[in-house]
C-alpha cells in the first residue's frame, strides 16, 4: 500500500509517500481500507513532535479517516468486513490501510459520503462537546467563536446555530467571515482590523460563552469580553502560542475557564459521548455537512499539511486514497 511517512520530526515538507506492506491487525484491532482522511492541525503538531503525545519514528501521520473494514483481528467479532466506518487514531490514517482499535470506530451517519465522513467526527464532536458538555450552552445565548472559518471553528458555528445560539464569528479576514456567516453566524469581527473585546461587547452586551481553538493574543481579549459568570472554553492553539491568562480577570467577573481534549472523552464520559453522537446524527439527517474546502490525492500530503500549518484553509482539507 501507499502511505505518507514521517522519518524525522519537523515541518510537513519532510513527509513523503512510500510503499509499505499491508498491515495485519492484532488482538482487538481491525484493518480499515481508507477511502478518505482529513487533515487536522494536531497532525502538524505530531509531525513536529510538539503534540501532547509523541508518535515514535518512523510513522505514518494522519488521525481521522473513513473507509470500509478490510480485516478483523483476533477476538473481534464486528463490524463485519465490508462495513463502512469512520474513526480516529493518533497516527496512521494517511495510507491505503490503517490499523485501529475496534473501539475507535463508529458507523458513518446516514447522509455522509466518505469525504465528508472523514471530515466530520473530530471537529464536530469537538464543537458539540465544547459548546454543550463543557460549555453548558443553552438556546438564546451569545457565543463568540474564534478562528470561525477553520476546521473546528466552522464546526462550532454550524453546531451552535443549529442549537439555537446567537453566534459572533471572529476571523482574520472578511472573506473568512463570509464563510462563517453562510454557516449561520449573525455577526462577524475581523480581529486583524477591529478591537475584539470592544466589538464583542458592542454586539452581545458581553458574550455568555467563548469557544477558542486559536489561542495566542486574541484569547485574553475574548475573555475580557465575557459578561459576568461567562464561560471560556479552550480547545486548541492553532496560533502556535499558548496564552497566559491573568487570573484576576477570572476572579473579578466570576468567570469559568475550562478545556476540552477530544482523546479522553469516550473513556471519561461515555454518556456525554453517546449524547453527542445522537445529537450530531440528528443534525446530519437534517442536512448538516462539514465544510470541505479542498480534496487532494495522497501525493499532495505535504502541501495539504503545510496549508493547515499556515492557517491558509477554511473548513477541512481531505486526502483521497483512490490509488493507495
Amino acid at each position: 500500500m501507499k502511505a505518507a511517512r514521517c522519518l524525522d520530526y519537523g515541518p510537513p515538507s519532510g513527509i513523503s509517500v512510500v510503499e509499505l506492506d499491508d498491515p495485519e491487525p492484532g488482538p482487538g484491532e481491525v484493518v480499515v481500507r481508507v477511502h478518505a482522511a482529513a487533515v487536522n492541525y494536531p497532525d502538524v503538531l505530531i509531525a513536529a513532535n510538539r503534540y501532547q503525545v509523541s508518535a515514535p519514528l518512523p510513522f505514518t501521520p494522519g488521525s481521522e479517516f473513513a473507509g470500509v473494514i478490510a480485516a478483523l483481528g483476533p477476538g473481534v467479532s464486528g463490524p463485519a468486513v465490508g462495513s463502512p466506518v469512520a474513526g480516529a487514531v493518533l497516527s496512521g490514517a494517511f495510507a491505503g490501510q490503517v490499523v485501529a482499535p475496534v473501539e475507535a470506530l463508529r458507523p458513518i451517519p446516514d447522509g455522509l459520503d466518505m469525504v465528508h465522513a472523514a471530515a466530520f467526527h473530530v471537529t464536530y464532536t469537538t464543537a458539540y462537546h465544547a459548546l454543550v458538555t463543557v460549555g453548558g450552552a443553552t438556546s438564546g445565548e451569545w457565543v463568540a467563536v474564534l478562528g470561525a472559518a477553520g476546521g473546528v471553528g466552522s464546526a462550532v458555528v454550524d453546531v451552535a446555530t443549529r442549537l439555537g445560539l446567537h453566534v459572533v464569528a471572529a476571523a482574520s479576514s472578511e472573506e473568512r467571515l463570509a464563510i462563517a456567516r453562510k454557516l449561520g453566524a449573525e455577526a462577524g469581527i475581523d480581529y486583524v482590523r477591529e478591537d475584539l473585546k470592544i466589538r464583542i461587547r458592542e454586539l452581545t452586551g458581553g458574550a455568555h460563552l467563548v469557544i477558542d481553538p486559536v489561542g495566542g493574543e486574541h484569547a485574553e481579549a475574548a475573555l475580557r469580553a465575557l459578561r459576568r459568570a461567562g464561560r471560556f472554553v479552550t480547545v486548541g492553539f492553532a496560533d502556535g502560542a499558548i496564552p497566559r491568562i491573568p487570573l484576576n480577570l477570572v476572579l473579578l467577573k466570576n468567570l469559568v475557564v475550562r478545556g476540552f481534549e477530544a482523546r479522553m472523552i469516550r473513556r471519561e464520559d461515555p454518556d456525554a459521548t453517546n449524547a453527542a453522537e445522537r445529537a450530531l446524527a440528528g443534525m446530519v439527517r437534517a442536512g448538516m455537512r462539514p465544510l470541505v474546502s479542498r480534496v487532494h490525492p495522497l501525493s499532495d500530503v505535504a502541501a495539504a499539511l503545510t496549508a493547515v500549518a499556515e492557517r491558509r484553509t477554511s473548513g477541512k482539507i481531505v486526502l483521497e486514497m483512490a490509488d493507495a
Side-chain angles (χ1 to χ4, degrees):
M1 68 175 184
K2 293 181 180 178
R5 206 66 175 158
C6 183
L7 302 179
D8 295 293
Y9 297 122
S13 58
I15 295 172
S16 59
V17 177
V18 302
E19 289 283 347
L20 295 178
D21 292 338
D22 290 347
E24 295 289 337
E29 294 179 333
V30 300
V31 173
V32 176
R33 185 172 300 281
V34 180
H35 287 213
V39 182
N40 293 293
Y41 188 71
D43 299 324
V44 176
L45 298 179
I46 292 168
N49 201 27
R50 292 170 46 215
Y51 195 57
Q52 297 96 318
V53 180
S54 291
L57 293 169
F59 68 93
T60 295
S63 57
E64 187 179 19
F65 60 89
V68 298
I69 300 292
L72 305 179
V76 178
S77 58
V81 171
S83 300
V85 293
V89 290
L90 178 67
S91 62
F94 296 164
Q97 298 183 47
V98 61
V99 174
V102 67
E103 63 268 17
L105 305 178
R106 61 204 56 84
I108 294 174
D110 292 341
L112 295 184
D113 58 25
M114 287 291 181
V115 166
H116 288 88
F120 179 75
H121 183 76
V122 169
T123 49
Y124 272 78
T125 56
T126 294
Y128 185 91
H129 286 302
L131 287 162
V132 178
T133 309
V134 176
T138 58
S139 180
E141 290 187 317
W142 281 99
V143 56
V145 183
L146 307 191
V152 173
S154 62
V156 173
V157 173
D158 197 0
V159 173
T161 299
R162 293 171 188 274
L163 291 173
L165 281 83
H166 304 290
V167 178
V168 174
S172 58
S173 69
E174 185 54 44
E175 292 77 14
R176 295 176 75 79
L177 289 174
I179 293 169
R181 289 190 182 95
K182 287 182 180 179
L183 291 169
E186 296 182 26
I189 302 169
D190 180 345
Y191 46 45
V192 173
R193 299 186 300 116
E194 300 179 88
D195 187 303
L196 182 62
K197 180 187 74 173
I198 291 174
R199 289 292 290 136
I200 290 175
R201 286 181 173 176
E202 288 176 346
L203 291 165
T204 69
H208 297 89
L209 176 63
V210 168
I211 307 295
D212 180 15
V214 179
E217 63 179 321
H218 302 300
E220 183 178 329
L223 185 81
R224 289 180 180 273
L226 285 166
R227 65 183 64 196
R228 184 166 181 79
R231 294 99 65 200
F232 183 102
V233 179
T234 176
V235 296
F237 309 105
D239 179 81
I242 298 175
R244 296 180 180 273
I245 299 297
L247 286 179
N248 64 309
L249 300 179
V250 178
L251 183 151
L252 292 172
K253 295 178 69 174
N254 194 28
L255 303 178
V256 174
V257 178
R258 295 190 64 185
F260 173 72
E261 205 284 316
R263 292 181 303 117
M264 306 300 292
I265 188 70
R266 292 184 71 86
R267 181 164 64 244
E268 293 181 347
D269 197 340
D271 289 340
T273 297
N274 293 334
E277 291 184 352
R278 288 193 300 270
L280 291 171
M283 293 178 192
V284 170
R285 288 193 296 271
M288 184 174 71
R289 300 291 183 271
L291 173 62
V292 176
S293 58
R294 284 155 40 191
V295 180
H296 292 274
L298 178 61
S299 57
D300 286 348
V301 60
L305 283 163
T306 298
V308 171
E310 296 176 353
R311 297 178 62 195
R312 292 188 280 107
T313 63
S314 55
K316 299 289 283 287
I317 293 179
V318 174
L319 299 173
E320 282 194 305
M321 309 295 164
D323 298 323

